[in-house]
Amino acid sequence: VIAFHGVVDPINPYDGGGASYWETSVPDAFDRWAMFNRCSGDMESFALNANITRMVYSECANRATVELYRISTMGHCWPGAAFKM
């Protein structure tokens, strides 16, 4: 599982509390994916630059990994997209 999520996303808020289809926070959803994939060990966090943090559970069943890229300056768009929502 890999996810990219902007902290300033107004559609699916990073901290949750958005529309009824997205009430869960991104960190909670990330942890649930780790549980679903039977990850063990601690989540590791790496600052890739001032705006992007990579979080990963790498010790998961069937050699899976669960990764989240937290982008502090991004809203609701794909990283590097030409348009903003």
Side-chain angles (χ1 to χ4, degrees), residues 13-68:
Y14 188 85
D15 292 324
S20 61
Y21 63 84
W22 189 266
E23 294 177 353
T24 303
S25 72
V26 172
D28 285 348
F30 175 61
D31 289 341
R32 287 182 187 174
W33 276 111
M35 287 177 23
F36 178 81
N37 283 281
R38 300 187 314 273
C39 301
S40 61
D42 294 328
M43 182 265 298
E44 297 178 282
S45 180
F46 307 92
L48 301 181
N49 62 36
N51 298 316
I52 302 173
T53 302
R54 175 183 178 244
M55 293 165 271
V56 62
Y57 285 99
S58 58
E59 298 175 24
C60 308
N62 300 316
R63 300 182 314 168
T65 60
V66 178
E67 299 187 36
L68 170 63

